[in-house]
Amino acid sequence: MQKFPRFALVTMIGTVLLSACGNDSGDTESSAEPTEGATTGGELKVAYSAQPPILDVHESSAIATSDMMRHVYESLVTVDSSYNIEPMLAESYELSEDGTAIEFVLREDVLFHNGETMTAEDVVASMEKWLDSPGNGNKLPDTATIEQIDDKTVVLDLGEPMATALPILAFNSVGFPAIMPAELAEEADGTGVKEYIGTGPFKFDEWIQDQHIKLLKFEDYAIRDEPADGLAGAREALVDELLFEFILDSSTRVSGMQSRQFDVAHAVPFDNADQLESDPNLTNHTYPGAYLTIHFNKREGFFTEQDARQALATSIDSEAILTGAYASDDYYVLNHNIMMYHQLEQWPSDVGQDVYNTNDSSNMDDYLSDIGYDGEEITIITTRDYEDQYNGSVVLQQQMEQMGLNVKIEVYDWPTLLEMNQDENAYDIFVLANVSAAEPGSNVFMN
């Protein structure tokens, strides 16, 4: 029998970001000095589509957390625009010949937002916390340890060779290895740190639930000398205040941009893109976002049996789901891989291609007949905070009902959805846009 993945992969997608017009060349590199004509000072208002559940990046798998707190926290290494691994808080790094250890020489005179200088002790405490947290630290071997060699050197001992360790460390999305003061890392519990202090170009100011998160420019930020390239090199805060306002309604985000209430809108509805493109005061930015994935509850309910998951995976019409989620094939690429389209040359594979998007509903018909299906209710949980996930869920529900399944949708806000999908009695399916990882094993659902 053909084996299937544990999830039904739907696609790779792009995300549309809307910004008010300014001096934007679209280049990936810039000098350490502000671009001539660039806005400096003042406030930048971002209309964001979802509220993060928590702000400790070690503990959260929510992209909203990392989107906001990446401005506050930094890691030892990061990636440039070509996905090359470059030092950030490290001055340099070296992988041992046998691939079992990575030595990091730390930058000097890097300040935390509380005014204290970053030390090797801070790095060790932060990395120990990250290794024990549900973020990407658990993608490293269980034998991994971190130790201080001297005042400016630490070594990550993997205990075994691991070629993908550096990409995991450099992955600056969900669950990235942020460095923070040792005392905060050591005092943190399962709910995360109590203060949000990092080394980044912005410092945390306030979080007013259901309203906004405010970040302020860190005047003593230790900027790197290299030109900015991707997430590497020089970073700078060109505004005094960065305000993420939680605007869950997409039409409000769009109208707020048109009225210049906001400077940037996150997750613009795809069917509004053409209309907004015609506004001379606005610029659409489309960038690789994620891949839309059907996640099954394999512990309880209808999809505990692999045959049930296989039957649905081969019965659905993936392209119809994508069209419902993204309005046009301008914003998605139909593909069986779990890598973004700009990374396919790094991790090419034809495995599963023969059973992807076969769109043969007779597979589900045969399965339902075999088990004597009697109308058992199947629950899809979703959120309107990310409209692609909601719209994709609605199309999936319609297809499943056409197959003869009894399906209901329950809608939650984003933080609640992230709680519900950890409850094995709360759902059968949820549809999620998973952010692509630097290497496949770092995907959160592989945990």
Side-chain angles (χ1 to χ4, degrees), residues 172-244:
N172 284 160
S173 189
V174 294
F176 72 90
I179 303 302
M180 59 190 68
E183 60 270 20
L184 296 182
E186 292 166 351
E187 293 171 0
D189 56 24
T191 63
V193 294
K194 308 307 177 188
E195 292 183 76
Y196 310 111
I197 296 176
T199 59
F202 287 91
K203 59 184 180 181
F204 175 80
D205 182 58
E206 67 178 9
W207 179 10
I208 299 181
Q209 284 282 345
D210 302 319
Q211 294 186 36
H212 68 246
I213 286 175
K214 183 192 295 185
L215 309 179
L216 302 177
K217 180 177 181 177
F218 180 40
E219 298 291 350
D220 295 320
Y221 175 63
I223 190 170
R224 292 193 66 98
D225 295 330
E226 303 91 342
D229 182 9
L231 296 178
R235 299 177 178 181
E236 55 184 331
L238 296 182
V239 294
D240 297 325
E241 183 176 307
L242 182 55
L243 189 69
F244 290 93

Side-chain angles (χ1 to χ4, degrees), residues 326-389:
Y326 303 111
S328 165
D329 59 8
D330 290 339
Y331 304 114
Y332 69 80
V333 176
L334 192 67
N335 195 288
H336 70 286
N337 280 279
I338 62 170
M339 301 305 293
M340 297 299 289
Y341 61 83
H342 61 294
Q343 296 175 304
L344 289 179
E345 292 182 1
Q346 298 174 354
W347 300 95
S349 174
D350 291 331
V351 173
Q353 186 171 11
D354 58 329
V355 292
Y356 173 68
N357 196 36
T358 53
N359 188 19
D360 183 359
S361 60
S362 67
N363 292 323
M364 182 57 77
D365 293 339
D366 292 343
Y367 177 73
L368 297 181
S369 176
D370 289 343
I371 66 171
Y373 178 68
D374 60 359
E376 176 185 349
E377 187 172 67
I378 295 173
T379 300
I380 300 175
I381 58 173
T382 188
T383 179
R384 298 206 74 146
D385 293 357
Y386 292 94
E387 290 205 345
D388 56 336
Q389 297 179 29

Side-chain angles (χ1 to χ4, degrees), residues 77-94:
V77 290
T78 187
V79 292
D80 65 16
S81 59
S82 298
Y83 296 92
N84 299 309
I85 297 169
E86 300 290 348
M88 178 48 67
L89 291 178
E91 184 64 38
S92 62
Y93 65 88
E94 183 176 359

Side-chain angles (χ1 to χ4, degrees), residues 52-97:
I54 60 175
L55 298 186
D56 186 332
V57 295
H58 291 176
E59 302 290 337
S60 177
S61 62
I63 188 63
T65 299
S66 56
D67 274 353
M68 297 172 196
M69 301 307 285
R70 191 185 298 115
H71 304 279
V72 174
Y73 292 112
E74 295 177 308
S75 52
L76 292 172
V77 290
T78 187
V79 292
D80 65 16
S81 59
S82 298
Y83 296 92
N84 299 309
I85 297 169
E86 300 290 348
M88 178 48 67
L89 291 178
E91 184 64 38
S92 62
Y93 65 88
E94 183 176 359
L95 182 65
S96 64
E97 289 187 7

Side-chain angles (χ1 to χ4, degrees), residues 91-276:
E91 184 64 38
S92 62
Y93 65 88
E94 183 176 359
L95 182 65
S96 64
E97 289 187 7
D98 63 1
T100 63
I102 309 171
E103 179 181 278
F104 298 94
V105 177
L106 306 179
R107 294 170 59 195
E108 297 181 351
D109 302 323
V110 173
L111 295 181
F112 285 114
H113 300 148
N114 60 5
E116 297 178 0
T117 301
M118 183 190 73
T119 66
E121 290 88 344
D122 298 313
V123 172
V124 168
S126 299
M127 293 296 292
E128 287 179 339
K129 176 180 178 299
W130 178 70
L131 288 169
D132 290 335
S133 296
N136 272 337
N138 57 31
K139 299 297 185 296
L140 297 183
D142 293 339
T143 53
T145 58
I146 183 89
E147 65 174 322
Q148 177 180 346
I149 302 303
D150 56 38
D151 290 344
K152 59 178 299 185
T153 308
V154 299
V155 171
L156 177 63
D157 187 347
L158 301 169
E160 60 186 66
M162 186 178 187
T164 56
L166 276 167
I168 291 172
L169 292 169
F171 182 54
N172 284 160
S173 189
V174 294
F176 72 90
I179 303 302
M180 59 190 68
E183 60 270 20
L184 296 182
E186 292 166 351
E187 293 171 0
D189 56 24
T191 63
V193 294
K194 308 307 177 188
E195 292 183 76
Y196 310 111
I197 296 176
T199 59
F202 287 91
K203 59 184 180 181
F204 175 80
D205 182 58
E206 67 178 9
W207 179 10
I208 299 181
Q209 284 282 345
D210 302 319
Q211 294 186 36
H212 68 246
I213 286 175
K214 183 192 295 185
L215 309 179
L216 302 177
K217 180 177 181 177
F218 180 40
E219 298 291 350
D220 295 320
Y221 175 63
I223 190 170
R224 292 193 66 98
D225 295 330
E226 303 91 342
D229 182 9
L231 296 178
R235 299 177 178 181
E236 55 184 331
L238 296 182
V239 294
D240 297 325
E241 183 176 307
L242 182 55
L243 189 69
F244 290 93
E245 298 194 45
F246 307 130
I247 310 297
L248 308 188
D249 180 68
S250 60
S251 61
T252 304
R253 294 196 298 276
V254 171
S255 62
M257 287 297 300
Q258 293 173 319
S259 66
R260 306 303 292 270
Q261 178 183 354
F262 308 118
D263 300 295
V264 177
H266 168 261
V268 173
F270 293 87
D271 52 8
N272 289 129
D274 290 341
Q275 167 200 351
L276 296 168

Side-chain angles (χ1 to χ4, degrees), residues 5 105 277 399 412:
V105 177
E277 190 71 43
Q399 291 188 13
Y412 301 95

